[in-house]
Amino acid sequence: MFNPMYSEHADEYAAAIRDNSYNAFYERPSLLALLPELQNKAVLDLACGPGVYSEYLLSQGARVTAVDCSPEMVALVQQRLGDAVKCYEQDLAQGLPREADAAYDLAICPLAIHYLEDLSVLFRDVRRVLKPNGLFVFSTHHPFVDYPFSPSGNYFLTEKIVDEWDTLGRPVQVEFYRRPLTAILQPLLEAGLTLVGICEGKPDPKMEQSDPKNFRKLSTEPGFLFVKCRMM
Ligand SMILES: C[S@@+](CC[C@H](N)C(=O)[O-])C[C@H]1O[C@@H](n2cnc3c(N)ncnc32)[C@H](O)[C@@H]1O
């Protein structure tokens, strides 16, 4: 997909998400609230971006492997965390061919599955690499938020959307897939993962001061969807 924000603008993206409203005060606290105890856990950070999550996981005592399809993001993680994290390039549409079976206690995938047209390959491989009782926690665009951008007007289709976001303080083109709720949850269940938690996002109270408009918006309507599953 054409997403220059994560390749040629990787540095700017890393700086933008450090303390912005949507990532720092909404997405990260909502996803972190779903994570288990991390001390000594083997954790896979899928679509790791510049490594904000990997850094947090390490700080909590986890052993971390991080992957991303963008060489620029992989380089940023290596710069930021060095040998403390194993980080390599991987297109998640191809699954996790370099990972062994039953190797991880936890896999996270924040804000990335909407870049994949077909979720079944990734979800099956996440199940394969998790230990029994291992957890998979991810966030993605809430289907109701993307639906108004549907080119067809048919909620039940999975469709590519081309849009512009101002995450970097100016419009940058992004491409992603919107899909109905069923098309997010059904491939998880078909992969053999059991849904154990769901959340529609909760802004950090600190955002009320820093960004009252978005605090009100995200306190009264969804932005992202947060899903927690277990490998039984
Ligand atoms: C919105 S950023 C999220 C980064 C990180 N998870 C976070 O929340 O801070 C999306 C990331 O997904 C990565 N990505 C997009 N498509 C991907 C794919 N097919 N395989 C692996 N990574 C992908 C991008 O390179 C980018 O780093």
Side-chain angles (χ1 to χ4, degrees):
M1 304 200 89
F2 178 67
N3 280 314
M5 191 145 74
Y6 309 130
S7 50
E8 59 216 61
H9 307 308
D11 282 313
E12 270 185 276
Y13 179 76
I17 66 164
R18 204 175 301 136
D19 54 10
N20 66 354
S21 293
Y22 268 74
N23 295 81
F25 293 110
Y26 176 58
E27 196 276 337
R28 288 202 292 273
S30 301
L31 189 137
L32 292 179
L34 295 176
L35 298 189
E37 163 65 41
L38 294 163
Q39 187 69 39
N40 290 324
K41 296 286 161 61
V43 183
L44 190 52
D45 183 1
L46 299 170
C48 58
V52 183
Y53 272 102
S54 287
E55 188 169 48
Y56 172 81
L57 296 165
L58 272 182
S59 76
Q60 300 302 301
R63 284 170 280 122
V64 182
T65 299
V67 305
D68 200 284
C69 68
S70 156
E72 290 82 1
M73 290 299 185
V74 170
L76 284 179
V77 173
Q78 285 164 344
Q79 234 173 59
R80 181 184 200 130
L81 302 170
D83 290 342
V85 164
K86 178 179 163 200
C87 185
Y88 66 91
E89 272 176 61
Q90 177 64 53
D91 177 1
L92 293 175
Q94 310 302 319
L96 298 162
R98 291 173 56 180
E99 296 297 334
D101 295 359
Y104 290 95
D105 300 290
L106 169 70
I108 65 166
C109 189
L111 294 180
I113 64 160
H114 39 267
Y115 300 116
L116 305 183
E117 183 170 18
D118 176 9
L119 300 179
S120 58
V121 176
L122 175 65
F123 288 175
R124 276 200 304 264
D125 249 10
V126 167
R127 180 187 188 277
R128 179 182 64 77
V129 305
L130 284 177
K131 298 176 185 174
N133 277 320
L135 291 168
F136 177 39
V137 178
F138 66 88
S139 62
T140 189
H141 298 179
H142 196 291
F144 296 169
V145 175
D146 282 349
Y147 174 50
F149 299 96
S150 163
S152 70
N154 182 347
Y155 171 78
F156 295 103
L157 295 181
T158 293
E159 302 172 295
K160 185 163 148 180
I161 307 282
V162 179
D163 195 8
E164 282 187 337
W165 292 347
D166 69 354
T167 314
L168 306 182
R170 62 181 185 284
V172 174
Q173 188 178 316
V174 285
E175 296 183 1
F176 60 92
Y177 291 97
R178 64 150 292 275
R179 48 173 60 86
L181 184 60
T182 311
I184 298 173
L185 300 184
Q186 193 61 28
L188 280 176
L189 303 177
E190 283 168 6
L193 291 159
T194 302
L195 187 63
V196 293
I198 192 151
C199 163
E200 292 175 281
K202 199 169 182 311
D204 189 307
K206 290 186 205 117
M207 193 174 155
E208 191 164 14
Q209 288 290 316
S210 60
D211 187 354
K213 185 163 158 258
N214 278 320
F215 180 79
R216 267 194 306 281
K217 181 176 155 78
L218 293 168
S219 300
T220 52
E221 55 187 81
F224 299 138
L225 178 69
F226 300 82
V227 177
K228 178 171 176 173
C229 312
R230 190 181 295 281
M231 197 291 217
M232 297 293 193

